[in-house]
Amino acid sequence: ATPTAVTVGIGRGAELGVLIRNGEALEVSEKLTAIVFDKTGTLTRGKPDVTDVVTLAVPEERLLAVAAAVEHNSQHPLAEAVVRRAESAGVTVPASERFTTFGGRGVSAVVEGTEVFIGNRPFLEEHGVTIPEGAERRIAALQDEGKTAVLVAAGSDLAGILAIADTLKPTTKRAVAELKRMGLAVTMITGDNERTANAIAREVGIEDVRAGVLPQEKAEEVRALQGRGEVVAFVGDGINDAPALAQADVGIAIGSGTDVAIESGDVVLIRDDLIDVVAAVELSRKVMSRIK
Ligand code: ADP
Ligand code: MG
């Protein structure tokens, strides 16, 4: 490969807002066969809002107050949505102690002497919370709408459900359609549950979905695809995505994402626009065809 063409390609990328960290990333991008997208903050905006408050044991204001007391300790986008909702409802948030985070599953803390658990269903069940049948149906219905059902329990009693929805970025559907048209196999990966993940994937136009993936398992999914002979790009924004970005043949980090993700990327997208993933692949194909 002539070094000049690669240098010109890297310069052209910079003009497009696609920062290519090394010439190898440009060369490998031409050979890509598969592209894996993180869901939250990558395909979606990552700024979710509480859309439904389902009360089971306590009034709505109390549910929001207790949930916010725990979640104000967490930096997770779901936690920020809960705190924002409590603020807009004008509730007084009580103090909390012994906050603990269970990566990719949920959080807990003691509020006014009671241990409160907030998170997904397996997480609450592990802590001895039983989910009544009526609540179970409600959860499934919310998830089929693409919403994440965040369960709130005080001790072993389910107190309520907060449905939280994130919207797709404006160009997500178009970018995915383009990449498929270019012959790439597109996969979505997420720590979110299967029903919610499938509803979002359907909206985006992605058929291959890996849901309920724990943070440390994202890189393993990439390695498994590589084991089947795929040349894989991973696109992500979060701390959880850093190992997968490093494992991928080409790691593509969203520039507005977390520092750890950006440091792990071979390619960094300056604008928060997935069309630039298409631009990066097109650029590498153009540059490499000029070299051959
Ligand atoms: P993603 O891969 O979609 O960014 P995560 O791996 O961060 O998701 O989290 C996976 C799941 O764990 C969430 O969908 C949620 O059910 C639960 N969870 C994680 N952190 C929290 C939190 N602070 N509050 C409530 N639920 C949480
Ligand atoms: Mg993310």
Side-chain angles (χ1 to χ4, degrees):
T2 76
T4 347
V6 172
T7 306
V8 169
I10 289 173
R12 180 74 193 118
E15 286 167 20
L16 296 169
V18 177
L19 272 195
I20 300 162
R21 283 257 175 75
N22 51 64
E24 207 195 321
L26 192 66
E27 294 180 41
V28 177
S29 293
E30 187 236 0
K31 301 186 189 74
L32 289 176
T33 59
I35 186 150
V36 180
F37 285 94
D38 161 61
K39 174 173 78 70
T40 311
T42 301
L43 294 171
T44 69
R45 290 179 197 270
K47 294 252 180 300
D49 282 307
V50 172
T51 54
D52 310 73
V53 180
V54 181
T55 55
L56 295 167
V58 295
E60 177 162 336
E61 298 217 326
R62 178 68 187 158
L63 178 66
L64 288 172
V66 169
V70 179
E71 294 283 29
H72 89 265
N73 298 291
S74 166
Q75 262 86 60
H76 200 281
L78 293 173
E80 287 168 6
V82 172
V83 171
R84 247 184 289 124
R85 177 62 178 250
E87 276 168 5
S88 67
V91 303
T92 309
V93 177
S96 64
E97 48 192 351
R98 302 215 302 271
F99 173 77
T100 313
T101 176
F102 301 81
R105 285 152 55 229
V107 289
S108 77
V110 175
V111 180
E112 293 168 350
T114 305
E115 185 150 36
V116 176
F117 297 98
I118 307 182
N120 59 24
R121 190 187 157 158
F123 173 66
L124 264 71
E125 284 176 336
E126 265 168 48
H127 288 88
V129 180
T130 46
I131 316 294
E133 211 177 288
E136 212 163 285
R137 276 195 301 273
R138 197 67 200 270
I139 292 165
L142 292 166
Q143 291 174 340
D144 285 340
E145 292 171 35
K147 296 169 181 170
T148 299
V150 170
L151 279 52
V152 182
S156 57
D157 298 321
L158 186 63
I161 303 160
L162 303 174
I164 301 184
D166 197 358
T167 48
L168 297 184
K169 291 178 185 172
T171 57
T172 291
K173 279 167 84 162
R174 191 151 57 85
V176 167
E178 280 289 311
L179 292 166
K180 286 164 92 175
R181 197 186 50 77
M182 291 165 84
L184 294 167
V186 179
T187 299
M188 180 180 102
I189 198 163
T190 178
D192 213 340
N193 75 90
E194 197 160 344
R195 282 187 106 102
T196 305
N198 284 337
I200 301 279
R202 211 175 305 126
E203 198 186 338
V204 179
I206 294 179
E207 289 82 28
D208 186 32
V209 181
R210 314 288 157 87
V213 178
L214 292 173
Q216 64 272 21
E217 293 169 348
K218 286 186 174 177
E220 283 164 35
E221 292 282 348
V222 171
R223 203 175 300 122
L225 283 170
Q226 289 168 327
R228 270 175 262 147
E230 304 279 2
V231 182
V232 184
F234 183 91
V235 189
D237 71 308
I239 305 173
N240 291 351
D241 299 326
L245 285 164
Q247 173 65 37
D249 297 286
V250 181
I252 304 177
I254 308 285
S256 60
T258 58
D259 293 346
V260 190
I262 293 167
E263 281 159 25
S264 307
D266 304 298
V267 174
V268 180
L269 305 183
I270 298 309
R271 306 183 303 159
D272 189 7
D273 187 340
L274 295 184
I275 281 298
D276 291 344
V277 175
V278 179
V281 177
E282 278 174 347
L283 178 66
S284 76
R285 288 184 179 182
K286 218 177 278 171
V287 169
M288 297 314 288
S289 70
R290 211 173 293 149
I291 285 169
K292 278 173 201 159

